[in-house]
Amino acid sequence: MQRLGIKKGIFSLIIFIVIVELLGSLSSAFAGNIKLKYNILNLPPLSPPDYIFGIVWPILYFLIAIAGYLIIFSNRAPNRVKTASSILFWLQLFLNFIWSIVFFNEHYIWGLIIILILDIVVFLCIVFFRRINRLASNLLVPYLIWILFATYLTIGVAMLN
């Protein structure tokens, strides 16, 4: 871990991953029966079957957690860059957390606003993280691609429902 410029060890990484995965699960729990709600929506073309989300999101949360860990526990970054990166990391996690709750309680326009902001914040995370740790930045690229697809789905649902 020292080679990566990280202050903590594997145990801290595991705890960090568990916390981020739990936040994802809590968001889903607070949103209600997402599977049922998703299946009664009028969906745009290319909408995946509901079970895909249960496969994709845990993987993405795992990648998000590792990226966040590499940034937050980095000992290579100037304070300003690390502080800005850490704020962006927690902000994207918060926006991600509330999006499911808002969207799946039929506030589609607010869900659209939140996910558009999330797109921007995740892009900024990728840019800022690159200054500290290239791997952390790269780990967020699949997440950005997925939420851009989710933005398309959100726009489609907002228009069709």
Side-chain angles (χ1 to χ4, degrees), residues 27-52:
S27 173
S28 180
F30 289 151
N33 189 342
I34 291 176
K35 188 174 186 173
L36 174 69
K37 292 176 182 182
Y38 180 79
N39 286 319
I40 62 172
L41 290 171
N42 294 315
L43 298 169
L46 305 177
S47 295
D50 58 24
Y51 69 86
I52 295 294

Side-chain angles (χ1 to χ4, degrees), residues 49-156:
D50 58 24
Y51 69 86
I52 295 294
F53 298 98
I55 295 168
V56 171
W57 274 112
I59 295 168
L60 290 175
Y61 281 124
F62 180 76
L63 298 175
I64 293 165
I66 294 171
Y69 174 85
L70 291 171
I71 296 307
I72 291 169
F73 293 106
S74 173
N75 57 9
R76 289 187 181 170
N79 280 344
R80 285 183 330 177
V81 175
K82 184 174 176 181
T83 299
S85 296
S86 297
I87 290 168
L88 287 167
F89 174 78
W90 293 112
L91 178 59
Q92 67 78 27
L93 209 54
F94 172 74
L95 291 167
N96 184 312
F97 181 86
I98 64 170
W99 179 84
S100 295
I101 297 166
V102 170
F103 180 81
F104 284 106
N105 282 291
E106 299 181 24
H107 301 288
Y108 304 130
I109 299 302
W110 283 109
L112 178 58
I113 291 167
I114 291 167
I115 203 163
L116 289 170
I117 296 168
L118 178 61
D119 294 339
I120 294 165
V121 173
V122 172
F123 176 77
L124 290 173
C125 280
I126 291 170
V127 170
F128 275 76
F129 285 19
R130 188 160 300 274
R131 296 175 169 179
I132 299 170
N133 186 304
R134 187 176 224 71
L135 175 60
S137 177
N138 292 341
L139 288 171
L140 292 184
V141 172
Y143 176 39
L144 179 61
I145 292 167
W146 183 257
I147 62 170
L148 289 171
F149 179 61
T151 302
Y152 156 75
L153 294 175
T154 302
I155 291 167

